[in-house]
Amino acid sequence: MLPVKSWCLLVLCVLVPSYAHTDFFTSIGHMTDLIHTEKDLVTSLKDYIKAEESKLEQVKKWAERLDKLTDTATKDPEGFLGHPVNAFKLMKRLNTEWSELENLILKDMSDGFISNMTIQRQYFPNDEDQTGAAKALLRLQDTYKLDTDTLSRGNLPGVKHKTFLTADDCFELGKIAYTEADYYHTELWMEQALKQLDDGEVSSSIDKVSVLDYLSYAVYQQGDLDKALILTKRLLELEPEHQRANGNLKYFEYIMSKEKEKEANKTATQKEVQPEKGTKTQKKGPPKDYLPERQKYEMLCRGEGLKMTPRRQKKLFCRYYDGNRNPKYILGPVKQEDEWDRPRIVRFLEIISDEEIETVKELAKPRLSRATVHDPQTGKLTTAHYRVSKSAWLSGYESPVVSRINTRIQDLTGLDVSTAEELQVANYGVGGQYEPHFDFGRKDEPDAFKELGTGNRIATWLFYMSDVAAGGATVFPEVGASVWPRKGTAVFWYNLFPSGEGDYSTRHAACPVLVGNKWGRYEI
């Protein structure tokens, strides 16, 4: 039986820890905690409102009573005070009751709410979370080719709780893109904000001037000078004294005049002048990408992968599998089906129960932290923007369920898990993903797995612990394969050839989850 020198399990799960802030946007599980926090704050706020309403009601009754009394008294002051009881009560009111009323009015009913708010604030998201969630929406937009109006209206497949983005929300997305010098997305979302304002949406914090200010500059940065000029003129129609817009207008007109001069002076023998930054010949599009297979990777995420030839397709089968005559599975074999032929990827069906899934989630719940990757330069573990998730590690001795799952994997694969890494449980956040990567260490990586003491990773076993409404596929860009999540199943493939050399066709990725929660767990 071949030893597995290193295994790792990834469980994508929605878990609810109760500790201080740690990258909320990278885990749907941690964000569910915020739902309960906000509900608690709303309850506290309603209590505060009731207290304020009760106080105001007391003041109102006091005012109504005194209004009638003083109306009568002022018509005949001497006659009114001629009654000794009225004289006594006037002294009492002015000496005692008005002071009591003053104290009532000055009483701060917000103490309970503010106290609760202060306690809960330590669990609130921060600027990094808001920016991370915004970037996730932009990532989903690009990966699944969603136009801004579709995303703004919340028209996504499989949604249970439809919601929409306000003009303020769209403006915020545009601003975050702007701070990243991502003028492509700045233009898209500022245009959406402007459209919604033009359609009559009432905004609480932004106006068309603010939107046009960002939009015109983003358009200019992408080289569409004509459009930038039109937008700037529209801004000045709304606010003629806008200092920056007036300056931009003069600058844009100057650039256009210089371009016209160049065109006029150009002769047939002259070499074509390269366009300057800001001219209308620049190409628009997303920021320059660092991932060479981005286009293919995202096509696979959308389900636009390569189709097998009929001849190759005929070689894929479904079967009952007994783990190569393993005694545990001879009488009760498991269901297995082929997903791909080269590299060979198989899926095991009904291989982990709902009860086992829940146990694993509960064990991992208090330990989720930002997932890390091996830095190819240093060999150290570090966080990375291309892996957006949280993870936790579980040992077999902690629970008979974890031990039983590890044994199951060993029996079905014929691999020894005694040198395996601990069970990794992970939860992908908003737009959570893990871009194309290898599970095995390459020769150019300095001691990638040395600190584990287990050697390179031989194989990958990936459990799917939830169904996903949209997105979330595991894709293999090198070969064009897409494997979709199905709760209770697991997929398995070898990362190394029998010679110990890495199989580069196993380069794979976890696509962003568009709608829903992706739970999984894998061993390598």
Side-chain angles (χ1 to χ4, degrees), residues 35 63 65 68 79 97 135 161 180 184 220-221 248 267 284 308 324 327 335 403 408 519:
I35 295 294
R65 178 173 62 86
K68 294 178 182 178
E97 294 182 16
K135 289 181 179 179
H161 309 284
E180 299 286 322
Y184 170 74
Y220 158 68
Q221 284 290 338
N248 287 344
T267 63
K284 288 187 177 183
M308 278 191 177
N324 291 322
K335 298 175 182 177
S403 178
R408 186 178 307 152
W519 300 35

Side-chain angles (χ1 to χ4, degrees), residues 85-321:
V85 173
N86 284 338
F88 165 74
K89 294 184 72 172
L90 176 63
M91 296 302 105
K92 179 176 178 290
R93 283 197 304 274
L94 293 174
N95 182 54
T96 305
E97 294 182 16
W98 275 101
S99 295
E100 293 174 353
L101 178 64
E102 180 183 20
N103 291 333
L104 175 61
I105 293 173
L106 292 176
K107 184 178 181 181
D108 189 353
M109 311 303 292
S110 65
D111 286 350
F113 174 70
I114 295 300
S115 177
N116 191 26
M117 186 84 166
T118 301
I119 294 171
Q120 298 287 8
R121 191 180 297 278
Q122 63 182 311
Y123 305 115
F124 280 13
N126 59 18
D127 290 343
E128 180 187 354
D129 287 301
Q130 184 171 337
T131 299
K135 289 181 179 179
L137 284 179
L138 303 183
R139 182 164 60 248
L140 291 172
Q141 179 181 18
D142 292 343
T143 302
Y144 296 104
K145 289 189 174 180
L146 304 171
D147 62 76
T148 51
D149 195 60
T150 296
L151 198 51
S152 178
R153 294 177 184 277
N155 294 327
L156 302 177
V159 293
K160 292 182 179 179
H161 309 284
K162 187 175 180 180
T163 188
F164 62 91
L165 294 170
T166 64
D168 295 51
D169 296 329
C170 296
F171 181 73
E172 183 64 28
L173 285 170
K175 274 208 311 182
I176 288 173
Y178 178 86
T179 60
E180 299 286 322
D182 177 2
Y183 300 114
Y184 170 74
H185 287 108
T186 302
E187 178 184 357
L188 290 180
W189 286 102
M190 288 300 173
E191 281 189 335
Q192 183 63 30
L194 186 62
K195 175 181 180 297
Q196 292 180 203
L197 290 175
D198 285 341
D199 289 343
E201 183 179 323
V202 178
S203 170
S204 60
S205 62
I206 63 168
D207 54 30
K208 294 180 182 180
V209 170
S210 300
V211 177
L212 285 165
D213 194 13
Y214 279 98
L215 179 57
S216 59
Y217 186 73
V219 168
Y220 158 68
Q221 284 290 338
Q222 295 181 89
D224 195 341
L225 195 55
D226 290 334
K227 184 176 179 180
L229 193 63
I230 292 170
L231 292 168
T232 303
K233 288 180 178 179
R234 181 179 175 187
L235 189 162
L236 289 170
E237 288 176 0
L238 298 172
E239 191 176 316
E241 302 302 318
H242 196 284
Q243 186 175 356
R244 184 166 48 251
N246 276 297
N248 287 344
L249 181 64
K250 293 177 182 178
Y251 179 62
F252 295 161
E253 289 176 338
Y254 170 76
I255 294 178
M256 292 188 75
S257 66
K258 297 297 287 184
E259 286 300 312
K260 289 179 180 178
E261 288 180 14
K262 287 181 183 179
E263 290 295 324
N265 295 331
K266 191 186 299 182
T267 63
T269 58
Q270 288 178 318
K271 293 183 179 180
E272 185 173 348
V273 179
Q274 292 296 317
E276 297 178 1
K277 184 179 181 181
T279 64
K280 60 184 178 181
T281 53
Q282 278 186 280
K283 292 183 178 180
K284 288 187 177 183
K288 187 176 180 180
D289 200 0
Y290 55 86
L291 192 64
E293 68 257 64
R294 169 73 63 187
Q295 186 176 5
K296 190 172 184 180
Y297 156 56
E298 292 185 347
M299 285 179 60
L300 292 171
C301 289
R302 295 191 297 269
E304 301 170 5
L306 300 175
K307 302 299 181 183
M308 278 191 177
T309 62
R311 184 176 180 180
R312 287 179 64 188
Q313 187 71 41
K314 288 180 180 179
K315 296 180 180 179
L316 304 183
F317 295 95
C318 299
R319 67 186 68 82
Y320 282 101
Y321 182 68

Side-chain angles (χ1 to χ4, degrees), residues 438-472:
F438 298 102
D439 282 344
F440 61 89
R442 273 78 65 214
K443 293 180 179 179
D444 58 343
E445 293 181 314
D447 302 322
F449 302 104
K450 184 178 180 180
E451 73 279 4
L452 297 172
T454 55
N456 210 343
R457 291 168 168 170
I458 290 179
T460 294
W461 177 287
L462 169 59
F463 280 115
Y464 291 114
M465 300 176 69
S466 71
D467 294 312
V468 178

Side-chain angles (χ1 to χ4, degrees), residues 253-483:
E253 289 176 338
Y254 170 76
I255 294 178
M256 292 188 75
S257 66
K258 297 297 287 184
E259 286 300 312
K260 289 179 180 178
E261 288 180 14
K262 287 181 183 179
E263 290 295 324
N265 295 331
K266 191 186 299 182
T267 63
T269 58
Q270 288 178 318
K271 293 183 179 180
E272 185 173 348
V273 179
Q274 292 296 317
E276 297 178 1
K277 184 179 181 181
T279 64
K280 60 184 178 181
T281 53
Q282 278 186 280
K283 292 183 178 180
K284 288 187 177 183
K288 187 176 180 180
D289 200 0
Y290 55 86
L291 192 64
E293 68 257 64
R294 169 73 63 187
Q295 186 176 5
K296 190 172 184 180
Y297 156 56
E298 292 185 347
M299 285 179 60
L300 292 171
C301 289
R302 295 191 297 269
E304 301 170 5
L306 300 175
K307 302 299 181 183
M308 278 191 177
T309 62
R311 184 176 180 180
R312 287 179 64 188
Q313 187 71 41
K314 288 180 180 179
K315 296 180 180 179
L316 304 183
F317 295 95
C318 299
R319 67 186 68 82
Y320 282 101
Y321 182 68
D322 61 11
N324 291 322
R325 304 293 293 173
N326 186 294
K328 294 180 182 178
Y329 295 102
I330 291 177
L331 295 180
V334 298
K335 298 175 182 177
Q336 187 190 76
E337 59 186 29
D338 296 327
E339 287 281 349
W340 205 256
D341 57 350
R342 296 187 303 271
R344 186 166 185 255
I345 305 170
V346 297
R347 186 191 296 263
F348 293 88
L349 283 67
E350 300 171 7
I351 201 63
I352 184 170
S353 69
D354 290 348
E355 292 76 14
E356 289 172 328
I357 289 173
E358 292 304 315
T359 298
V360 170
K361 290 192 300 182
E362 287 302 314
L363 289 170
K365 179 177 179 178
R367 307 185 196 176
L368 286 181
S369 60
R370 181 71 185 268
T372 57
V373 296
H374 284 279
D375 187 318
Q377 302 299 322
T378 66
K380 303 293 185 181
L381 289 173
T382 182
T383 60
H385 63 275
Y386 55 83
R387 186 178 188 184
V388 182
S389 65
K390 286 189 176 180
S391 59
W393 298 84
L394 303 178
S395 298
Y397 65 79
E398 296 181 65
S399 166
V401 171
V402 176
S403 178
R404 185 166 65 245
I405 291 171
N406 287 340
T407 301
R408 186 178 307 152
I409 295 170
Q410 178 172 281
D411 291 339
L412 290 171
T413 63
L415 300 173
D416 186 355
V417 299
S418 61
T419 58
E421 296 172 33
E422 291 181 338
L423 176 70
Q424 186 184 9
V425 182
N427 171 222
Y428 286 86
V430 180
Q433 63 171 3
Y434 192 177
E435 291 181 354
H437 62 281
F438 298 102
D439 282 344
F440 61 89
R442 273 78 65 214
K443 293 180 179 179
D444 58 343
E445 293 181 314
D447 302 322
F449 302 104
K450 184 178 180 180
E451 73 279 4
L452 297 172
T454 55
N456 210 343
R457 291 168 168 170
I458 290 179
T460 294
W461 177 287
L462 169 59
F463 280 115
Y464 291 114
M465 300 176 69
S466 71
D467 294 312
V468 178
T474 303
V475 299
F476 297 74
E478 295 294 317
V479 298
S482 297
V483 180

Side-chain angles (χ1 to χ4, degrees), residues 45-63:
L45 180 61
K46 289 168 71 175
D47 289 341
Y48 161 67
I49 291 171
K50 287 179 181 178
E52 287 286 5
E53 287 176 341
S54 176
K55 182 178 79 172
L56 193 59
E57 189 63 30
Q58 293 179 61
V59 174
K60 184 178 179 181
K61 289 179 179 178
W62 214 85

